[in-house]
Amino acid sequence: MPLLIRRPSDIRPSEITSPEHFSRRRELIAALGLGLGAAGLALPRHALAAPAPAGVSPPTGFPPVARAAPGSPWFSDESQTPKSAITSYGNFYEYGVDKAAPGKYAPGLLKTRPWTVAVEGEVLKPRTFAIDDLLKLAPLEERIYRLRCVEGWSMVVPWVGYSLSALINKVEPTGNAKFIEFVTLADPAQMPGVRSPLLDWPYVEGLRLDEARHPLTLLGLGLYGEALPAQNGAPVRIVVPWKYGFKSAKSIVKIRFLREQPTSTWTRAAPSEYGFYSNVNPAVDHPRWSQKTERRLGEWRRRPTLPFNGYADQVAGLYAGMDLKKNF
């Protein structure tokens, strides 16, 4: 009997159950229910079944975007994940633990204008940027990056933005700045999931300063040539393509330059499972599943996971001399 390989369009994102959610499904549902049930706001089903349109819409005119050219570090000739899959499948626990929840609820709840990002800490020029300031700070570029989730699924996303270093240079970090911390929005009115005790809100992530300054580290403002959809971290996020996806903080409202290493949200929640660095490393398994392979959304078979998600030539030097099993 011939083996039938389904086309990418035949496989719905909802068909892929992550190993983390499968193994923790009762714990996650119980935690979410504890935080929202008393108010009659159990997120996954009825409470947000018909969200009203957000009061403020994204801009209708998005700035021009320079396309990624073959041969550039931003280009990949891999098949890009369809926009419909990118915007309907993902983790954004502020809207629930189900993969479809962000796409269902965020567009009707998240107000992306007005929006500001405060930059503070060890910098000579602290500043608060409006979203329009960020859109004009540097020319927008298409960056076709692989995204590898710690749960074992992956995408290829044509992001829009520019290197985070453009913003870093504007605020002029002092010699004391060694790390950057990203703080995300945690508004219960717009993000009902933050009413649950599932995580310690707001969601916080961090990078070493040299990681943040690396040209691949993207200040993300869009995808597929348009403004970021709400469910993908609008209006501004970070994309660090050689790290597991949870390191790329969404819907950022504050950036802090620090002397000491910050504690990321998932590291605080489970330090033995989610380290500060969280570089994609097929040689270091998650305590509850292998990281050797991944399933690309839309594909039937699993594929080998690449060290640093395939960006080793560009970023491995950042970790010269480090034990990447200890510093996972």
Side-chain angles (χ1 to χ4, degrees), residues 52-326:
V56 181
S57 299
T60 54
F62 197 62
V65 178
R67 297 293 301 274
S72 80
W74 325 132
F75 180 80
S76 171
D77 59 3
E78 295 181 77
S79 296
Q80 296 172 25
T81 303
K83 184 179 179 182
S84 59
I86 295 171
T87 57
S88 64
Y89 186 92
N91 291 322
F92 203 169
Y93 284 178
E94 287 86 339
Y95 294 99
V97 299
D98 187 84
K99 288 289 189 291
K104 289 180 180 178
Y105 309 129
L109 291 172
L110 183 63
K111 298 180 180 181
T112 58
R113 284 176 176 254
W115 191 281
T116 59
V117 178
V119 183
E120 60 188 37
E122 295 287 348
V123 294
L124 296 176
K125 297 180 178 179
R127 177 176 170 184
T128 296
F129 293 86
I131 185 60
D132 286 328
D133 298 330
L134 295 176
L135 286 168
K136 299 173 183 176
L137 185 67
L140 297 184
E141 304 167 337
E142 181 182 64
R143 304 280 186 94
I144 305 173
Y145 284 168
R146 291 177 290 276
L147 183 152
R148 170 60 154 84
C149 181
V150 71
E151 297 166 348
W153 54 269
S154 62
M155 300 179 177
V156 178
V157 183
W159 300 105
V160 173
Y162 46 80
S163 293
L164 178 62
S165 59
L167 182 148
I168 293 173
N169 293 339
K170 286 286 185 183
V171 298
E172 298 183 15
T174 72
N176 295 323
K178 306 300 181 186
F179 296 88
I180 297 186
E181 179 183 65
F182 306 100
V183 182
T184 68
L185 182 68
D187 179 2
Q190 300 182 63
M191 298 171 159
V194 305
R195 301 175 199 171
S196 82
L198 178 60
L199 292 172
D200 185 8
W201 311 104
Y203 193 93
V204 173
E205 258 305 336
L207 296 171
R208 225 169 49 192
L209 184 57
D210 59 343
E211 295 178 313
R213 276 183 154 147
H214 193 279
L216 284 176
T217 302
L218 182 72
L219 189 75
L221 298 161
L223 60 81
Y224 267 105
E226 301 175 349
L228 271 177
Q231 59 267 43
N232 295 103
V236 56
R237 62 173 293 164
I238 300 298
V239 181
V240 192
W242 69 92
K243 295 179 179 287
Y244 291 119
F246 68 88
K247 291 293 294 184
S248 296
K250 304 179 179 78
S251 299
I252 293 168
V253 294
K254 187 174 293 187
I255 299 176
R256 297 175 175 146
F257 288 73
L258 306 174
R259 300 183 183 209
E260 304 295 332
Q261 179 177 304
T263 301
S264 301
T265 293
W266 276 109
T267 302
R268 182 179 294 111
S272 65
E273 299 184 10
Y274 306 101
F276 176 78
Y277 287 96
S278 291
N279 293 316
V280 175
N281 190 346
V284 176
D285 289 336
H286 187 280
R288 288 179 279 125
W289 58 81
S290 170
Q291 296 289 21
K292 292 178 175 59
T293 65
E294 64 198 67
R295 179 171 292 175
R296 183 71 49 82
L297 292 195
E299 294 183 353
W300 185 246
R301 298 178 183 273
R302 297 185 70 85
R303 61 170 62 204
T305 288
L306 302 174
F308 296 105
N309 203 23
Y311 298 97
D313 288 348
Q314 294 98 314
V315 303
L318 293 172
Y319 311 101
M322 291 180 62
D323 183 341
L324 296 181
K325 291 188 176 180
K326 179 179 179 181

